[in-house]
Amino acid sequence: MPAPVNPFKAAIREDRFQLGLWVALASPYAAEVVSASGYDWLLIDGEHGPNDIPLLSAQVQAVMRSGSHPMVRLPCGEAWMIKQILDAGAQTLLIPMVESVEQAKALVKAVRYPPHGIRGVGAALGRASEFSRIGDYLQTANEQVCLLLQIESRAGLEALDDIASLEGVDGLFIGPSDLAADMGYLGQPGHPAVTAAITDAFQRIAKAGKASGIMTLDLGQAHIYRSLGASFMAIGTDVTLLVAATEKLRSDFISSESGSAKPVSGY
Ligand SMILES: O=C(O)C(=O)C[C@H](O)[C@@H](O)CO
């Protein structure tokens, strides 16, 4: 019995667009709630969400029961973190702030078993092999791991062609917020200079035959990125959606109250 097929990796290989959502509440319960909302993938954010490996693993577990595919962003590309989260059952990893082909080569090795990599052999203890019930896991796991690297600085853009050309790199995700910051446009991910850099990056990623990913909270920008050829894209986050929905509900109630009603306390 082989390792489970990675549906996200299969989809981007067949150039089927994948729509995603950012999950940063660091709650398996909240991740499970969102996982039934119909998104192709959910990014479980270990970089900006207050997550550790056990919590990331619990969210992977919660999401796997739904139709969404869990994509885990680690805080950085440490081989021991990669080993633990792959053994815990994650199949798709997003690694932030990749800025050199040497860094990318090390990450490809970290997600692969020898002789093609350095991933430690211990999945028999983890959900990845269904706790050793998948007999052929070691021989079939490499093919089902999807490695996505973040290009989000001028150095990353400089190294993009070499990184994209690497066998074992399945896609590149452009981080518009950090790229804007590095380019001198902190807080302006939609700045024309940033969009121009993203456009060029998408063209180079496509030329290398790899998938291109991005995220935005602005639907207008999302359609621009789609027109530029984004293969996978997140269009919101659980945190910002929760803030917006709760504040709107309160505001709607207050504005819908008739003048005679006793005012709600606190406003
Ligand atoms: O640089 C970016 O943009 C990203 O990598 C995405 C952000 O980290 C995400 O947290 C939304 O702000």
Side-chain angles (χ1 to χ4, degrees):
M1 179 180 167
V5 172
N6 181 332
F8 178 89
K9 183 170 185 175
I12 61 173
R13 275 192 168 167
E14 295 159 12
D15 203 18
R16 287 184 279 117
F17 174 71
Q18 297 293 285
L19 186 65
L21 195 77
W22 228 254
V23 169
L25 282 168
S27 157
Y29 220 55
E32 189 173 1
V33 167
V34 172
S35 68
S37 298
Y39 289 91
D40 299 306
W41 55 282
L42 297 182
L43 186 282
I44 303 169
D45 196 355
E47 184 189 13
H48 291 300
N51 281 302
D52 57 17
I53 295 291
L55 201 43
L56 289 170
S57 172
Q59 292 171 84
V60 169
Q61 209 172 356
V63 171
M64 274 178 139
R65 287 198 286 268
S66 74
S68 292
H69 182 73
M71 180 190 299
V72 175
R73 180 163 73 170
L74 292 172
C76 55
E78 289 287 337
W80 66 267
M81 288 185 189
I82 289 171
K83 175 169 47 180
Q84 284 198 8
I85 202 65
L86 290 179
D87 286 352
Q91 289 184 302
T92 301
L93 301 185
L94 179 64
I95 309 296
M97 206 54 79
V98 177
E99 298 190 303
S100 71
V101 69
E102 293 75 19
Q103 195 181 350
K105 284 177 180 174
L107 289 164
V108 170
K109 292 183 74 173
V111 300
R112 291 180 159 188
Y113 284 120
H116 306 293
I118 60 165
R119 182 183 172 189
V121 178
L125 304 179
R127 188 183 309 113
S129 70
E130 292 182 15
F131 309 102
S132 79
R133 294 186 180 92
I134 297 177
D136 297 336
Y137 181 78
L138 293 180
Q139 291 72 29
T140 57
N142 289 356
E143 175 54 25
Q144 299 308 329
V145 173
C146 183
L147 180 62
L148 307 169
L149 306 181
Q150 282 200 243
I151 302 294
E152 47 189 345
S153 66
R154 288 164 297 173
L157 291 176
E158 185 69 28
L160 186 150
D161 295 326
D162 291 338
I163 293 169
S165 68
L166 286 179
E167 197 277 324
V169 173
D170 298 293
L172 296 183
F173 178 99
I174 307 297
S177 301
D178 282 311
L179 178 60
D182 186 65
M183 290 175 66
Y185 302 107
L186 180 62
Q188 305 173 65
H191 189 285
V194 179
T195 300
I198 292 169
T199 303
D200 174 64
F202 275 12
Q203 289 167 347
R204 291 193 280 153
I205 295 166
K207 189 176 175 187
K210 300 295 173 74
S212 52
I214 198 156
M215 75 94 62
T216 179
L217 305 183
D218 179 306
L219 283 185
Q221 194 71 29
H223 291 301
I224 291 172
Y225 291 146
R226 274 292 282 140
S227 69
L228 294 175
S231 314
F232 59 102
M233 175 166 64
I235 56 170
T237 77
D238 55 354
V239 171
T240 51
L241 287 166
L242 186 58
V243 168
T246 51
E247 292 186 352
K248 183 177 186 304
L249 176 62
R250 180 181 180 277
S251 169
D252 288 352
F253 175 78
I254 290 166
S255 58
S256 65
E257 273 213 302
S258 65
S260 61
K262 184 169 178 283
V264 173
S265 63
Y267 78 93

